Structures are given as C-alpha cells and as structure tokens.
Amino acid sequence: MKISRCRVSGNEYYCVINGEDVRLLSAPPFEQIVYNGRTIKKNDVAFLPPVSPSKIVAIGLNYRDHAKEFGKPMPEEPLIFIKPPSAVIGDGDDIVYPAMSERVDYEGELAVVIGRLAKQVSVEQAKDHIFGFTIMNDVTARDLQAKDVQYTRAKGFDTFAPVGPWIETELAPENLSVKTSVNGILKQDGTTADMKFSVYQIVSFVSQVMTLLPGDVISTGTPPGIGPMHKGDSVEVAIQGIGILHNRLV
Ligand code: MG
C-alpha cells in the first residue's frame, strides 16, 4: 500500500494512493487505516512529504564501499546522527543551496518509517515497529561536514531532508537497488544487500538510545558514489519497490 499526505481545500490529510485515485484518511495511518469517504484524482492533489516526523535519525557509513571512498573505517556499531524535522521537504520540492556552503552533496538512502512506539526493542521485535519504507536524500554540505566536529550544521539546513514520494508498506528491505542520478546521469548504483547493519539491527539499536514514535524516520545510510550537486541540478533517487524521489537544487 502506498501512503502519503496531501493538502485538500486547506486541510492536511494522510491518504492512500491507489493508481490514479487518492483516498483520504480520517486519522494517521499508523494504528489502522480509516478512510474518510473522499476520493480525489491524483492529478488534482497537492502532495506533502509523506511523514511529519518528531525526528529523523540517520546512519553514517553503513555501506563498506562508501566508507572506503570516504577514507573512513567501518564503524563497530551504527553511527547515528539527527536531522531536524524542519529540514523535511517532499517529492518535487526544491533543495535550497545554503550561502554558508560551497559543496552540497546528494546521498540516496532507504528510509524506515516507524509505525509503533519503539523503546528498547530487540532485533527480532523491530519488524513489528516498522510501518513501511520511503526514500530519503540525505543532503549534506560536505565542506561543512569536514570543518565541523559533528554533523548538525552540515546535515541540518532547511530543505536538506527530501523524503518521499510515499511510504510503501509492503516491502522486504533486504535486497533493493538504490540509484541516484543527477541530470539523468547515474551516480550511485547500490543495493541494500551491502548494508553492514540491517534495517532491523538499526531500529533496535536506535531504540536503545531514544524512544521512536510513529512517523519517525530512520535513514539507513548511503551506498558509494556520493558527489556534488550544483544550482539548477535535478536529482533523482530511485529505490526498487518504492519509486522515485525527485528534487531540484536552487
Ligand atoms: Mg547519509
């Protein structure tokens, strides 16, 4: 099932996308799907980012060949950082190049959407706390990442967390192709099979640190092939079984 959020007549709704039809929901979808009875044609809908997270937790260096290109050893345990909810934009929205930076990179990533509160869950329990999967572009001011001790500034600018185009609730995450292209040229061509820490290990690990709430997003790290974007560039992240997240840099 494909789930997103949309704005209709000034009101925001969660919705289910079914072919050309968009069915509005009367409540968040995490507990159960409750339709409000209205169906709208997809072309008439203004979509929003599919989630409104209390936090975005991202994983650094989860693909061996990305760690290699970065000249860093693989972490012994998941390396986590936070992107603020204010960075979230949706499919088709513009990424804004910050005046402070001279190098802004794409990072195409599989993102987990939490469905049930998760506090200190085991790897085996993690699956029951996942609502579905979406795509994130972990946009990074690479020069500022190198300059600062930690990632808050480099990863936290407004618009640096494009997410979407929807949440796919029926998906096995173990072996999905992750492709990022800039202006139609393929830059990243990885598979989630190369992740060091699995989706379930990551959810369990993060939940030992902080309580995860329904709608929270965990971005699972990027495959090799990172590189810069320039103003005017069009960036697409495609993940098998989900779809394509498209944004432009302005
Ligand atoms: Mg990343």
Side-chain angles (χ1 to χ4, degrees), residues 58-61 66 81 83 107-109 137-140 142 155 219-222:
I59 310 297
L61 306 176
H66 170 57
F81 60 92
K83 289 170 86 84
E107 290 188 2
E109 306 192 1
N137 187 344
D138 175 19
V139 179
T140 303
R142 197 67 71 198
K155 303 275 194 176
S219 203
T220 59
T222 200

Side-chain angles (χ1 to χ4, degrees), residues 8-226:
V8 178
S9 313
N11 296 312
E12 293 182 3
Y13 299 90
Y14 282 91
C15 57
V16 172
I17 303 165
N18 191 356
E20 291 309 301
D21 289 335
V22 176
R23 298 179 69 187
L24 303 186
L25 304 183
S26 56
F30 305 113
E31 295 264 318
Q32 56 173 332
I33 302 289
V34 183
Y35 295 103
N36 83 353
R38 277 187 79 186
T39 300
I40 297 168
K41 287 293 164 204
K42 199 174 167 186
N43 289 341
D44 298 332
V45 172
F47 286 101
L48 297 167
V51 283
S52 181
S54 80
K55 55 192 165 295
I56 302 156
V57 184
I59 310 297
L61 306 176
N62 197 24
Y63 289 76
R64 209 165 302 275
D65 289 341
H66 170 57
K68 207 182 283 174
E69 74 183 349
F70 224 49
K72 294 254 173 94
M74 286 297 281
E76 294 288 309
E77 47 187 8
L79 170 67
I80 66 175
F81 60 92
I82 294 258
K83 289 170 86 84
S86 46
V88 171
I89 59 171
D91 180 48
D93 293 338
D94 290 338
I95 302 163
V96 179
Y97 207 113
M100 270 184 193
S101 175
E102 285 173 3
R103 176 162 165 172
V104 174
D105 282 16
Y106 54 82
E107 290 188 2
E109 306 192 1
L110 175 70
V112 178
V113 179
I114 297 296
R116 263 178 62 202
L117 186 145
K119 183 179 171 66
Q120 296 174 352
V121 302
S122 68
V123 175
E124 293 71 32
Q125 292 167 324
K127 194 171 194 171
D128 298 334
H129 296 265
I130 295 174
F131 180 67
F133 297 91
T134 187
I135 303 169
M136 169 153 293
N137 187 344
D138 175 19
V139 179
T140 303
R142 197 67 71 198
D143 51 348
L144 303 182
Q145 186 186 28
K147 201 167 163 189
D148 293 351
V149 177
Q150 40 69 35
Y151 291 0
T152 305
R153 179 165 64 145
K155 303 275 194 176
F157 285 99
D158 286 359
T159 75
F160 269 30
V163 60
W166 43 66
I167 305 163
E168 177 55 65
T169 59
E170 287 138 60
L171 190 70
E174 289 85 1
N175 187 12
L176 303 173
S177 87
V178 179
K179 292 182 192 227
T180 305
S181 53
V182 177
N183 301 327
I185 298 162
L186 187 64
K187 300 287 188 181
Q188 290 185 293
D189 187 2
T191 161
T192 59
D194 289 340
M195 293 201 294
K196 175 172 181 180
F197 300 105
S198 74
V199 159
Y200 307 115
Q201 288 173 308
I202 289 168
V203 170
S204 170
F205 181 84
V206 176
S207 81
Q208 311 303 318
V209 180
M210 63 190 85
T211 301
L212 294 165
L213 302 178
D216 280 355
V217 171
I218 304 180
S219 203
T220 59
T222 200
I226 54 158

